[in-house]
Amino acid sequence: QVQLVESGGGLAQTGNSLRLSCAASGRTFSSYGMGWFRRAPGKEREFVAAITWSGGATYYADSVKGRFTISRDNAKNTVYLQMNNVKPEDTAVYSCAASHQESPPWPYYSGVYGYWGQGTQVTVSS
């Protein structure tokens, strides 16, 4: 069992940076592939970024590639999403998720993630 709690969301201006954190409970955090998803108002949930349990591989949506960086610290049971050069279209509720599975359709398909946080709001003003 893993419980996930996100933090770090808020209001940012276009071009600024935000850093989201996802703190996990449980001693098996290091065995999970982790992902970040977002849902904008009136839109479907979409994949943002993911990282393998070892941190050896990362994955990004094309819309955030080069601007966002996912990382993890297994000693702190925490995964991060560094958001640089944010844009108004990044406005959404961001949720982290944990998956035991690290084979396709992971990391892009939300259905393979068994644990989800409650989400944190990110609002980017122009």
Side-chain angles (χ1 to χ4, degrees):
Q1 191 83 7
V2 176
Q3 292 184 324
L4 305 172
V5 179
E6 302 94 337
S7 61
L11 179 64
Q13 292 187 327
T14 297
N16 284 0
S17 297
L18 283 172
R19 189 194 197 200
L20 305 185
S21 299
C22 173
S25 64
R27 290 178 289 179
T28 59
F29 171 75
S30 60
S31 66
Y32 289 89
M34 298 297 296
W36 285 96
F37 287 76
R38 68 186 181 187
R39 177 171 286 170
K43 295 188 177 181
E44 296 292 319
R45 175 189 287 164
E46 67 172 353
F47 169 80
V48 176
I51 188 167
T52 54
W53 69 269
S54 67
T58 56
Y59 306 83
Y60 297 95
D62 288 343
S63 58
V64 307
K65 200 170 295 182
R67 300 188 297 121
F68 292 10
T69 302
I70 188 171
S71 61
R72 68 188 296 161
D73 185 338
N74 287 341
K76 295 183 178 180
N77 281 11
T78 303
V79 63
Y80 305 97
L81 185 68
Q82 178 67 43
M83 307 168 61
N84 295 333
N85 190 23
V86 295
K87 304 175 180 181
E89 51 264 43
D90 295 322
T91 295
V93 175
Y94 285 71
S95 299
C96 65
S99 172
H100 263 311
Q101 178 178 334
E102 288 189 351
S103 57
W106 186 88
Y108 306 105
Y109 176 52
S110 61
V112 302
Y113 293 83
Y115 304 98
W116 290 83
Q118 83 289 349
T120 185
Q121 176 70 48
V122 171
T123 302
V124 182
S125 62
S126 57

